Amino acid sequence: MIQIKDLSKIYTTKERVVKGVDNVSLNITTGEVFGIVGYSGAGKSSLIRCLNLLEKPTSGEIKIDGLNLMKLRGRKLRQARLKIGMIFQHFHLISQKTIYENIAFALRAAKTPASQINKRVTELLEMVGLADKRDVYPAQLSGGQKQRVGIARALANNPSVLLCDEATSALDPNTTLSILRLLKKINKELKITIVLITHEMNVVKEICDRMAIMQDGKVIEEGAVYDIFSGPKEELTKEFISSVVSFDVPSAILNKCTGRIVKVMYKGDVAGEGIISDTVQQYNIKGNFLHGSIEYIQEIPLGIFLMELQGDNQEVEKAISYMSSRASLVEVIDHGN
Amino acid sequence: MGIDFQHVVELMPDITKAFGETLYMISISLAVALVFGLPLGILLFVTDKGLFLENIVVKSVLGFIVNMVRSIPYIILLVALIPLTKLIVGNPYGPAAASVSLSAAAIPFFARIVETSLREIDKGVIEAAIAVGATPWMIIKDVLFPEAKSSIIQGVTLTVISLVAYSAMAGVVGGGGIGDLAIRFGYYRYDNTIMIVTVVILIVFVQLIQFAGDWISKIIDKR
Ligand SMILES: Nc1ncnc2c1ncn2[C@@H]1O[C@H](COP(=O)(O)OP(=O)(O)OP(=O)(O)O)[C@@H](O)[C@H]1O
Ligand SMILES: [Mg+2]
């Protein structure tokens, strides 16, 4: 679907040279929701803006549906852009035009016959749930509603890809959730591939299938969202994950613990919860929960518990190996005293 | 000093004629400024670095010409353009003749104002239009122009008011209009009444233009 190969975008300003995107290669498959996360300045926007050539890459290759984008210019490029929708953090609607006109603008860019524009706009407004706002100006809408207009405009010409540059970052949590649901629906029902960038892990957790983490213009880790959440490799990835799946136990409490502290993680199966009670029953040990949560990532549970095991050293060892045989991961964090 | 109403009534025909001439000069030069200055301003903007019709050569050549004309004081431009005026209007005197130099001054003035108005537009809105696959012409017509319209109207107001000032200067060299009246009566004949009347007319006129400009610019703005 989208093939990015050795893509670089170098910004040269008077003071310095910045590698906005540094030799990035990614393959995004048809029909997936692909998330790109990273801190401010990591190069997320630069990367996504290269995908429709809003930013001209310095080097590399971008293919969308087999079409080599960087070979296109003028009319050919405009035609390719019709099939690549984009929405923005600050919506970017034409403030002096009504919602209807804003969406019709996109349709006219595709030379849609005037007789069909009205019908198509109505259809799009219904899809995003704004049928009653058609003759209103953007200033009269809330942020969430403006983003819905942005989405309608981006989908006007039936694109195969939708690029989302921090599409929910200006919205409150509830509105964010409703926009994410809409995006998910678009992805599922219209089979549109979505590439979204964000700095919020919750967004990724909510709708992404796969993700990449960016730092200093480079992709430092990529994979299925579930895999990354359950087994982050890079430090930065762990840092991001911790905003959703946090194992931080105050050091005051850790210091008080005398037993061995283990982290138990199980994937995909809620029944895994039984591991803990089974262990405590079978072995002569005491278990204290320090922390625990079950996150649903793409509706698949990911359980993580932090517990203190107290008792005879050998019993504890046996208990740990028993747990290891059942859980996905058991990690001793602190050996205790 | 003081106003002699009898005298004002006496000179009413001269005053209305002069005011009519001023309106005539301003209308012509404003029309010319709109017709040529608007596209010129848009061109200055869209050929700028990073914009969708980026063209360094066009941008610098146009920018240079605009700056050049704008750096010439109007009174010098007026004299310097006498040959051109003769060519276009036939004679170098009267309101029609004055309109030539007024237009020449107003075009670059208005063009810069348009360019500045366009610069105020959120770059993101332009980008969104590019991303949607719109042609440059569509972006100019349906994004740049509507988004800057309100601010451009303010620019028209500013241009008209500058033209009022310039047209009075044109009066000094026989261009007719209110300035001419003020010079002939107020200056050469020490006619205070006429002086005061012209000043009052100009003040009221400028206030009205400003008021109308602000009002229109406000009602068309949908933000
Ligand atoms: N037009 C530009 N000119 C010069 N440098 C730029 C330009 N755009 C981006 N950069 C630089 O490139 C780097 C990546 O920027 P980018 O906007 O892609 O980051 P980001 O990950 O989107 O950050 P944020 O979360 O703040 O939006 C930054 O160091 C930034 O300063
Ligand atoms: Mg960004």
Side-chain angles (χ1 to χ4, degrees):
Chain A
M1 169 84 232
I2 305 179
Q3 283 138 313
I4 304 167
K5 226 175 110 190
D6 305 327
L7 190 74
S8 290
K9 170 71 193 179
I10 296 169
Y11 297 104
T12 316
T13 57
K14 280 188 209 88
E15 304 88 45
R16 61 208 182 111
V17 175
V18 181
K19 286 185 174 172
V21 178
D22 190 1
N23 212 12
V24 166
S25 297
L26 281 176
N27 277 313
I28 296 168
T29 33
T30 306
E32 76 177 339
V33 181
F34 193 91
I36 300 169
V37 292
Y39 284 124
S40 190
K44 308 177 298 285
S45 296
S46 305
L47 174 60
I48 203 167
R49 289 159 54 82
C50 279
L51 298 186
N52 60 357
L53 259 52
L54 273 184
E55 212 76 72
K56 203 176 169 335
T58 312
S59 62
E61 199 181 75
I62 301 164
K63 278 188 177 167
I64 295 188
D65 280 334
L67 197 63
N68 192 338
L69 276 196
M70 284 167 66
K71 291 238 163 71
L72 307 177
R73 327 176 121 258
R75 200 170 60 87
K76 286 258 166 60
L77 176 58
R78 288 197 293 272
Q79 267 163 1
R81 281 176 174 149
L82 296 175
K83 295 294 167 197
I84 310 171
M86 188 167 195
I87 56 175
F88 306 85
Q89 177 173 9
H90 298 294
F91 327 120
H92 299 331
L93 304 176
I94 306 170
S95 68
Q96 307 292 337
K97 300 228 169 200
T98 63
I99 302 316
Y100 175 87
E101 291 166 328
N102 264 281
I103 300 171
F105 178 77
L107 292 166
R108 283 192 287 112
K111 307 217 159 39
T112 311
S115 58
Q116 287 168 30
I117 289 184
N118 193 2
K119 182 169 155 275
R120 179 72 181 136
V121 174
T122 309
E123 228 170 75
L124 288 158
L125 283 176
E126 262 161 28
M127 183 178 71
V128 299
L130 287 178
D132 56 330
K133 301 288 186 199
R134 127 190 212 118
D135 296 317
V136 146
Y137 287 90
Q140 290 152 268
L141 298 182
S142 70
Q145 290 171 329
K146 281 184 207 165
Q147 195 57 287
R148 283 167 189 273
V149 178
I151 292 173
R153 173 177 65 182
L155 298 183
N157 297 313
N158 298 310
S160 53
V161 192
L162 179 62
L163 308 175
C164 312
D165 188 348
E166 303 268 6
T168 57
S169 299
L171 307 173
D172 65 53
N174 277 332
T175 316
T176 293
L177 210 58
S178 78
I179 294 293
L180 292 181
R181 293 217 177 97
L182 178 60
L183 290 178
K184 192 82 210 175
K185 183 177 115 179
I186 287 162
N187 170 250
K188 286 270 170 307
E189 290 175 14
L190 304 177
K191 310 260 182 287
I192 293 175
T193 308
I194 295 182
V195 182
L196 69 83
I197 67 174
T198 180
H199 54 260
E200 293 169 284
M201 274 316 230
N202 273 316
V203 170
V204 174
K205 187 188 102 181
E206 205 64 45
I207 68 166
C208 293
D209 301 306
R210 287 199 311 134
M211 68 185 291
I213 292 104
M214 278 188 87
Q215 186 177 29
D216 298 331
K218 296 189 189 65
V219 167
I220 57 165
E221 192 167 349
E222 69 165 296
V225 170
Y226 195 90
D227 294 345
I228 288 194
F229 270 74
S230 56
K233 293 192 182 63
E234 301 293 326
E235 257 333 289
L236 180 70
T237 315
K238 288 180 189 160
E239 211 174 298
F240 268 107
I241 306 291
S242 70
S243 67
V244 176
V245 192
S246 166
F247 323 108
D248 289 341
V249 176
S251 54
I253 300 204
L254 279 185
N255 289 341
K256 264 196 253 165
C257 293
T258 52
R260 222 175 287 195
I261 296 170
V262 291
K263 184 168 102 181
V264 182
M265 178 163 78
Y266 56 86
K267 302 182 193 176
D269 186 5
V270 200
E273 256 177 302
I275 301 170
I276 312 288
S277 54
D278 291 353
T279 311
V280 180
Q281 268 169 22
Q282 286 181 33
Y283 300 91
N284 187 18
I285 56 164
K286 260 173 71 185
N288 288 325
F289 277 114
L290 299 175
H291 203 301
S293 74
I294 299 175
E295 286 295 330
Y296 291 84
I297 293 154
Q298 296 273 298
E299 287 161 14
I300 307 170
L302 173 64
I304 297 172
F305 292 95
L306 207 59
M307 50 192 306
E308 179 193 19
L309 302 180
Q310 284 174 320
D312 176 64
N313 233 341
Q314 261 185 339
E315 279 297 289
V316 171
E317 282 295 344
K318 277 195 240 162
I320 290 174
S321 73
Y322 169 72
M323 286 196 288
S324 303
S325 70
R326 286 189 55 185
S328 315
L329 178 93
V330 177
E331 194 182 330
V332 178
I333 291 184
D334 193 316
H335 286 277
N337 325 333
Chain B
M1 216 162 141
I3 294 186
D4 178 351
F5 283 102
Q6 188 60 40
H7 187 45
V8 175
V9 174
E10 238 171 64
L11 285 171
M12 211 53 197
D14 286 284
I15 296 171
T16 31
K17 177 164 173 281
F19 191 62
E21 284 170 351
T22 294
L23 281 183
Y24 172 85
M25 286 187 274
I26 293 176
S27 313
I28 291 187
S29 41
L30 179 66
V32 174
L34 292 182
V35 168
F36 293 98
L38 184 65
L40 184 56
I42 292 175
L43 212 54
L44 280 170
F45 178 70
V46 297
T47 53
D48 205 4
K49 201 168 173 309
L51 273 134
F52 55 94
L53 291 179
E54 177 173 340
N55 189 322
I56 309 286
V57 177
V58 172
K59 168 81 187 180
S60 9
V61 170
L62 290 181
F64 178 75
I65 296 173
V66 164
N67 286 345
M68 193 179 68
V69 178
R70 287 203 61 197
S71 57
I72 305 173
Y74 175 65
I75 200 84
I76 297 177
L77 192 69
L78 180 73
V79 177
L81 286 181
I82 287 179
L84 180 69
T85 309
K86 278 187 185 157
L87 204 71
I88 298 174
V89 192
N91 74 69
Y93 304 109
S99 302
V100 174
S101 56
L102 282 175
S103 302
I107 292 172
F109 181 82
F110 185 59
R112 279 293 184 210
I113 287 178
V114 169
E115 187 195 358
T116 310
S117 300
L118 294 172
R119 249 177 239 299
E120 287 164 19
I121 300 174
D122 180 359
K123 284 274 186 319
V125 180
I126 302 171
E127 266 183 358
I130 295 172
V132 107
T135 58
W137 173 240
M138 275 186 74
I139 299 175
I140 291 170
K141 182 168 71 70
D142 292 327
V143 179
L144 297 189
F145 189 68
E147 292 295 271
K149 198 167 51 185
S150 180
S151 159
I152 290 176
I153 298 283
Q154 297 272 19
V156 172
T157 312
L158 201 62
T159 308
V160 174
I161 292 172
S162 303
L163 280 172
V164 172
Y166 288 163
S167 74
M169 260 192 263
V172 179
V173 293
I178 289 282
D180 185 41
L181 189 74
I183 290 283
R184 276 192 291 129
F185 289 80
Y187 186 65
Y188 292 129
R189 297 188 204 165
Y190 305 105
D191 188 336
N192 281 335
T193 302
I194 284 295
M195 206 63 207
I196 291 168
V197 169
T198 42
V199 168
V200 169
I201 290 177
L202 287 175
I203 291 175
V204 171
F205 186 55
V206 168
Q207 296 289 345
L208 280 178
I209 292 167
Q210 186 68 54
F211 177 78
D214 287 347
W215 182 71
I216 297 173
S217 144
K218 202 167 158 217
I219 58 161
I220 61 167
D221 192 359
K222 308 294 183 196
R223 265 173 299 181

